[in-house]
Amino acid sequence: MNFCSHCGQPVRFAVPEGDDRPRYLCDACGSIHYQNPRIIAGTLPVRGSQILLCRRAIAPRKGYWTLPAGFMENAETTQQAAARETQEEACADVSLQGLYTLINLPHINQVYMIFLADLAGGFAAGAESLEVALFEEHEVPWDELAFPTIERTLRHFYTDRHADRGFPLHLSDITPEDRERYFGSA
Amino acid sequence: MNFCSHCGQPVRFAVPEGDDRPRYLCDACGSIHYQNPRIIAGTLPVRGSQILLCRRAIAPRKGYWTLPAGFMENAETTQQAAARETQEEACADVSLQGLYTLINLPHINQVYMIFLADLAGGFAAGAESLEVALFEEHEVPWDELAFPTIERTLRHFYTDRHADRGFPLHLSDITPEDRERYFGSA
């Protein structure tokens, strides 16, 4: 951020009076520009013993497999965002079940929220996907997953499914080291 | 938003090519300025049969009772944000338990995340609180709560506690009508 989005004058990065962390400040109009984490909402679509994955057609991690997910937009709920992203990336209508993983990525200011979902109808590659396919557990391309959030969500899923104890929310954090394996090789 | 925060030139509000909703666009430098919902993280601090509430010293809803909560900052996790806000508003160190309510407010682009928390040590009014106090269930000031998210979280809490079935995540949405009772009278 270089200029004030309200008045167009240059901003500076400093701690406002009464605050405890630096913000972008405009001395011309007095605006304080806060920046906050963004939510990435998506689904883990399940059909019987199979799950749906999308192969990314766009950067980052083009060509790698992911769950349908993307940035939550203003004026929608997390559930609407998750269902919309599933429709956009996999052309699939899903029935959302519970929130399944909530994963913080504080070093990149993101919070992932993945819902379990029932996939009943068809699917196809959306504009951001090269292909979309169903996988049995032994077919999951573990070495070709796009992001650590996806791997973690799938690990939880198979662990919970084998334990036959339901699918409770899993809340966790991802560190820069967790991401290294993915983005060192990208 | 009136000006591009990158180059300082005027922006326009229009649907970018390949997108399906309007964004602030800068024709001078090509920047697209996305706007996304913000997370409000907080806690429901519990000590035995009592819960902790804070009376707000600031707008909106100054003088009304709330749970300690506030905007999640960049570079922190949701759990860190919830604990920090509890420290700032109630000067209380809490042990976070599970995520308890996740409430969408799509009309104001917010997502609330309230964690159950154990309150072991002391507490006091922080800079944004007029007072902080413990309440038994029959003492909860239902007609003087600050926000519908707070009332909903407390209703879930007492229902779950009476049912003695644990405290699972409750995911829900708040509509403009839900807020009317609070902000019509503010």
Side-chain angles (χ1 to χ4, degrees):
Chain A
M1 181 165 214
N2 303 309
F3 296 91
C4 176
S5 55
H6 183 68
C7 77
Q9 295 304 300
V11 291
R12 64 190 171 94
F13 193 61
V15 179
E17 197 183 320
D19 202 341
D20 62 355
R21 62 191 73 204
R23 318 281 183 185
Y24 288 100
L25 307 176
C26 177
D27 293 321
C29 75
S31 293
I32 303 173
H33 299 282
Y34 296 93
Q35 296 184 316
N36 301 89
R38 293 198 292 179
I39 293 169
I40 293 179
T43 65
L44 167 45
V46 179
R47 177 188 285 177
S49 62
Q50 296 178 304
I51 65 159
L52 178 145
L53 295 173
C54 305
R55 201 152 73 87
R56 290 174 62 82
I58 55 171
R61 301 288 282 170
K62 180 177 175 178
Y64 288 82
W65 292 91
T66 190
L67 293 168
F71 287 111
M72 181 180 173
E73 299 275 5
N74 277 352
E76 65 183 1
T77 66
T78 48
Q79 305 92 295
Q80 289 168 339
R84 176 183 53 72
E85 289 288 344
T86 307
Q87 180 56 241
E88 289 178 4
E89 299 187 0
C91 303
D93 285 319
V94 289
S95 301
L96 261 62
Q97 308 301 315
L99 179 64
Y100 185 55
T101 51
L102 193 156
I103 305 176
N104 296 284
L105 295 93
H107 51 291
I108 54 171
N109 309 316
Q110 293 180 355
V111 177
Y112 263 71
M113 295 189 196
I114 304 291
F115 292 79
L116 272 187
D118 288 336
L119 175 66
F123 58 86
E128 297 182 1
S129 302
L130 294 171
E131 57 180 313
V132 174
L134 293 174
F135 293 83
E136 299 287 350
E137 181 177 357
H138 70 274
E139 298 170 329
V140 170
W142 294 104
D143 294 331
E144 296 169 48
L145 296 179
F147 307 112
T149 48
I150 306 306
E151 176 178 345
R152 186 169 295 178
T153 298
L154 297 182
R155 298 272 184 212
H156 282 306
F157 176 72
Y158 289 116
T159 299
D160 286 342
R161 199 164 72 170
H162 289 300
D164 196 20
R165 64 184 173 202
F167 297 92
L169 172 69
H170 295 276
L171 173 66
S172 64
D173 307 328
I174 279 184
T175 65
E177 293 70 37
D178 292 329
R179 290 186 87 224
E180 218 164 71
R181 182 158 61 86
Y182 287 79
F183 288 88
S185 65
Chain B
M1 183 165 211
N2 304 308
F3 296 92
C4 176
S5 54
H6 183 67
C7 77
Q9 295 303 301
V11 291
R12 63 190 172 94
F13 194 61
V15 179
E17 196 183 321
D19 203 340
D20 61 357
R21 62 191 76 204
R23 318 280 184 185
Y24 288 101
L25 307 176
C26 178
D27 293 322
C29 76
S31 293
I32 302 173
H33 299 281
Y34 296 94
Q35 296 183 316
N36 302 88
R38 292 198 293 178
I39 294 170
I40 293 179
T43 65
L44 166 46
V46 179
R47 176 189 287 178
S49 62
Q50 297 177 303
I51 63 158
L52 178 144
L53 295 173
C54 306
R55 201 153 73 84
R56 289 174 63 81
I58 55 170
R61 300 289 282 172
K62 181 177 174 178
Y64 289 81
W65 292 92
T66 190
L67 294 167
F71 287 112
M72 182 179 172
E73 300 275 6
N74 278 350
E76 66 184 358
T77 66
T78 49
Q79 305 93 293
Q80 289 169 338
R84 175 184 52 72
E85 289 289 343
T86 306
Q87 180 56 240
E88 288 177 5
E89 299 187 359
C91 304
D93 285 319
V94 289
S95 300
L96 261 62
Q97 308 301 314
L99 179 62
Y100 185 54
T101 50
L102 193 155
I103 306 176
N104 295 284
L105 293 94
H107 51 292
I108 54 170
N109 308 315
Q110 293 180 355
V111 178
Y112 263 72
M113 297 190 195
I114 303 292
F115 291 79
L116 271 188
D118 288 336
L119 175 66
F123 57 86
E128 297 181 2
S129 302
L130 294 171
E131 57 179 314
V132 175
L134 293 173
F135 292 83
E136 299 287 351
E137 181 176 359
H138 71 274
E139 298 169 329
V140 170
W142 294 105
D143 294 330
E144 296 168 48
L145 296 177
F147 307 112
T149 48
I150 307 305
E151 176 179 345
R152 184 167 297 178
T153 298
L154 297 183
R155 299 271 185 215
H156 282 306
F157 175 72
Y158 289 115
T159 300
D160 285 344
R161 201 165 69 170
H162 289 299
D164 196 21
R165 65 185 171 202
F167 297 93
L169 173 68
H170 295 276
L171 173 66
S172 65
D173 307 328
I174 279 184
T175 65
E177 294 70 36
D178 293 328
R179 290 186 88 223
E180 219 164 69
R181 182 158 60 87
Y182 287 80
F183 288 88
S185 65

